[in-house]
Amino acid sequence: MLGAALRLRVRVLRRRRRRLHRGRRRGRRVGDDDSEEGGREPVLLVSGMGGSVLNARRKSNPKFDLRVWVRILFANLDFKKYLWSLYNADTGYVESLDDDVEIVVPEDDHGLFAIDILDPSWFVELLHLSMVYHFHDMIDMLINCGYEKGTTLFGYGYDFRQSNRIDKAMAGLRTKLETAYKTSGGKKVNLISHSMGGLLVRCFMSMNPDVFTKYVNKWICIACPFQGAPGCINDSLLTGLQFVYGFESFFFVSRWAMHQLLVECPSIYEMLPNPEFKWREKPIIQVWRKDPEKDGIVELVQYEATDCVSLFEEALRNNELTYNGKKVALPFNMSVFKWATKTRQILDNAELPDSVSFYNIYGTSYETPYDVCYGSESSPIGDLSEVCHTVPAYTYVDGDGTVPTESARADGFSAKERVGVEADHRGLLSDENVFKLLKKWLGVSEKSEWRCVSKSKVVDLCT
């Protein structure tokens, strides 16, 4: 009986998906008024860290095409097999451990498929695992406002393992801007970026100012770690990164598996706290240590989070993974760190063109990791390599749970508006107050009823 009910539910969901897909493919819903279509400026959505579907393809078998991020079922297995990688200092690119594998971002649906629902399987839809519903609600909202896929609405997903200034990412964003500009009849593009996507856009603007000026009208930035994310990023290099918590985490990639990827990812190093930024209080990392040279006396050792390379090197000196039966060393990568230092200079040198209007939305009212502490007075760390297998303790500041408000606000531009919204990092992409701001700044309104469940409040506004 239960099996029959489940099969019926799946059939209903599939029919609903087909109807929704047909409606969204047309870019409008029944009853929409097309009178405003002639004046619509195109919108390009840019995802952040972990915000793009990634497929693994085999060079020896063109028919092999497997989604490896995000994948709920068998997540850890395929993640370790296809996404674990090493940084190539000669090219600046991250390369898969399997030489026969290349990681690609699907371009379906004008780039929107890759940033919509990150695991579009029936299983996810059946259980409505909202943790992988990424730009989905925002895409629906924009379509309700009259935007059309492939004409005035586009998406840009990318291999988020790579540097934010790598040639392939820069060329891909340029192509998207050119396509949106030409397809919409020569109208300038309104960019909406989320999280690390804001750093990618900022790199592009710094490295290609003339192109940015030519194609971009407005840039709306959401939850960008402009000056880094001290607690989350420092800890991600030492113990890993967990995207979801609670029951849902059992379906997801483990913290340790993610850690082994991030140690070789330039994009993570590029989000370390900016050492040149004037923090209200400098973020720190603390370690309770037992010093054998002082008769085992326990002391609290403190490192400035903006200058703790020595800690990373010592803690990760024995870090390794096993791939196809072979041990692969993964210490702290100084080559990546040096590359990221250059990226930080490019980010700091970015200037907003006078012709581009900039808007900044950041999350507030959530405890956000800032300082990190490993070990305790009663259970101190002996060898620093033990840090990588320790549960951290955080000191929190205000933010979205990932990016501190102080960092997200500090864009350094002459912004039209900066607005704080009570929502967490991922929740900002589906928040009703964020949608109100987007519609106001884009100068559009919805043409069909939009049901919102968020009860967030706009809590801060400055110009």
Side-chain angles (χ1 to χ4, degrees):
M1 192 71 179
L2 181 60
L6 181 60
R7 287 193 295 272
L8 177 61
R9 173 64 175 158
V10 170
R11 286 198 296 271
V12 170
L13 286 170
R14 285 175 175 169
R15 285 198 296 270
R16 184 182 301 168
R17 178 189 287 181
R18 285 195 294 270
R19 288 197 300 269
L20 179 61
H21 179 68
R22 286 195 296 269
R24 291 174 62 184
R25 188 172 53 199
R26 289 191 296 269
R28 57 184 181 274
R29 299 178 187 268
V30 176
D32 279 351
D33 179 7
D34 292 329
S35 59
E36 297 181 9
E37 287 303 315
R40 185 78 72 230
E41 295 171 340
V43 166
L44 174 60
L45 306 176
V46 182
S47 64
M49 180 68 191
S52 304
V53 172
L54 299 181
N55 289 350
R57 291 180 184 169
R58 290 204 171 275
K59 301 171 186 176
S60 60
N61 181 10
K63 294 183 179 180
F64 182 89
D65 194 358
L66 178 69
R67 176 169 38 81
V68 291
W69 180 270
V70 171
R71 190 175 186 85
I72 300 300
L73 296 178
F74 310 111
N76 252 359
L77 178 65
D78 289 326
F79 183 90
K80 292 186 286 187
K81 186 175 182 180
Y82 298 106
L83 277 183
W84 271 355
S85 47
L86 291 175
Y87 176 75
N88 186 331
D90 293 330
T91 65
Y93 283 86
V94 173
E95 300 171 353
S96 298
L97 290 174
D98 187 339
D99 293 337
D100 190 39
V101 169
E102 60 176 345
I103 301 301
V104 298
V105 179
E107 278 294 325
D108 310 58
D109 225 5
H110 309 284
L112 293 165
F113 171 83
I115 64 173
D116 188 340
I117 300 177
L118 302 184
D119 183 346
S121 64
W122 67 266
F123 174 79
V124 168
E125 190 169 3
L126 179 66
L127 297 181
H128 196 74
L129 299 177
S130 59
M131 60 183 178
V132 295
Y133 279 58
H134 203 53
F135 272 99
H136 179 75
D137 292 343
M138 189 180 294
I139 292 171
D140 274 354
M141 181 273 290
L142 290 169
I143 287 174
N144 275 343
C145 289
Y147 288 91
E148 288 192 22
K149 292 182 178 182
T151 304
T152 52
L153 183 58
F154 303 83
Y156 184 53
Y158 51 93
D159 184 352
F160 48 81
R161 302 174 306 162
Q162 310 291 349
S163 166
N164 285 293
R165 63 178 172 96
I166 206 72
D167 290 346
K168 188 173 182 179
M170 296 293 94
L173 182 54
R174 176 171 183 156
T175 298
K176 283 289 181 182
L177 288 170
E178 290 174 344
T179 300
Y181 178 82
K182 293 175 182 177
T183 307
S184 62
K187 297 183 180 66
K188 284 192 172 184
V189 182
N190 295 323
L191 280 169
I192 301 176
S193 63
H194 177 247
S195 189
M196 191 180 77
L199 298 184
L200 186 144
V201 171
R202 188 173 179 128
C203 280
F204 184 89
M205 183 175 70
S206 182
M207 299 169 70
N208 304 276
D210 293 340
V211 177
F212 197 86
T213 300
K214 178 179 179 180
Y215 292 123
V216 178
N217 179 37
K218 297 176 182 177
W219 174 21
I220 301 172
C221 201
I222 302 174
C224 180
F226 284 109
Q227 307 302 331
C232 287
I233 299 303
N234 279 314
D235 186 43
S236 71
L237 285 173
L238 291 170
T239 73
L241 183 63
Q242 194 163 340
F243 280 86
V244 293
Y245 294 85
F247 172 74
E248 292 177 335
S249 66
F250 289 100
F251 297 102
F252 217 66
V253 175
S254 70
R255 187 184 187 95
W256 178 82
M258 182 62 69
H259 173 254
Q260 301 299 67
L261 175 78
L262 299 182
V263 171
E264 291 288 301
C265 283
S267 57
I268 285 293
Y269 288 66
E270 289 167 353
M271 289 189 286
L272 285 167
N274 183 1
E276 303 301 322
F277 180 62
K278 298 186 185 305
W279 301 91
R280 285 194 293 266
E281 289 188 19
K282 286 190 175 182
I284 58 174
I285 298 178
Q286 296 176 314
V287 182
W288 284 99
R289 296 204 63 185
K290 182 187 292 185
D291 192 338
E293 297 181 0
K294 298 181 180 179
D295 298 323
I297 294 176
V298 176
E299 57 184 356
L300 185 62
V301 182
Q302 182 170 300
Y303 304 82
E304 283 193 6
T306 55
D307 184 24
C308 52
V309 170
S310 61
L311 170 61
F312 289 137
E313 288 184 310
E314 185 67 16
L316 291 166
R317 73 184 189 280
N318 297 325
N319 186 49
E320 63 181 15
L321 56 79
T322 301
Y323 189 82
N324 285 343
K326 297 180 180 179
K327 297 290 186 180
V328 179
L330 289 179
F332 180 73
N333 197 318
M334 279 302 300
S335 295
V336 178
F337 181 75
K338 291 177 181 178
W339 175 280
T341 300
K342 177 62 176 177
T343 302
R344 172 48 62 185
Q345 295 172 0
I346 292 172
L347 290 168
D348 289 345
N349 291 335
E351 295 183 2
L352 183 74
D354 293 337
S355 61
V356 177
S357 298
F358 176 77
Y359 303 83
N360 185 348
I361 298 174
Y362 54 91
T364 69
S365 306
Y366 280 77
E367 290 188 333
T368 303
Y370 195 68
D371 301 329
V372 190
C373 183
Y374 300 96
S376 65
E377 190 172 11
S378 59
S379 182
I381 300 293
D383 191 291
L384 274 180
S385 62
E386 296 174 18
V387 165
C388 297
H389 308 283
T390 303
V391 177
Y394 299 115
T395 299
Y396 297 95
V397 294
D398 185 48
D400 62 20
T402 299
V403 181
T405 296
E406 182 182 9
S407 175
R409 280 176 51 89
D411 48 72
F413 300 138
S414 178
K416 294 293 184 181
E417 289 187 65
R418 293 187 190 91
V419 182
V421 176
E422 287 184 22
D424 66 23
H425 192 68
R426 194 172 64 246
L428 286 164
L429 289 178
S430 57
D431 185 87
E432 63 175 294
N433 287 294
V434 171
F435 290 173
K436 289 177 183 177
L437 291 168
L438 294 181
K439 285 182 283 187
K440 181 180 79 168
W441 295 337
L442 295 173
V444 299
S445 58
E446 293 193 56
K447 301 178 183 178
S448 59
E449 183 180 0
W450 176 252
R451 297 179 181 178
C452 291
V453 295
S454 172
K455 296 182 180 179
S456 302
K457 300 176 182 177
V458 175
V459 298
D460 184 39
L461 172 64
C462 66
T463 57

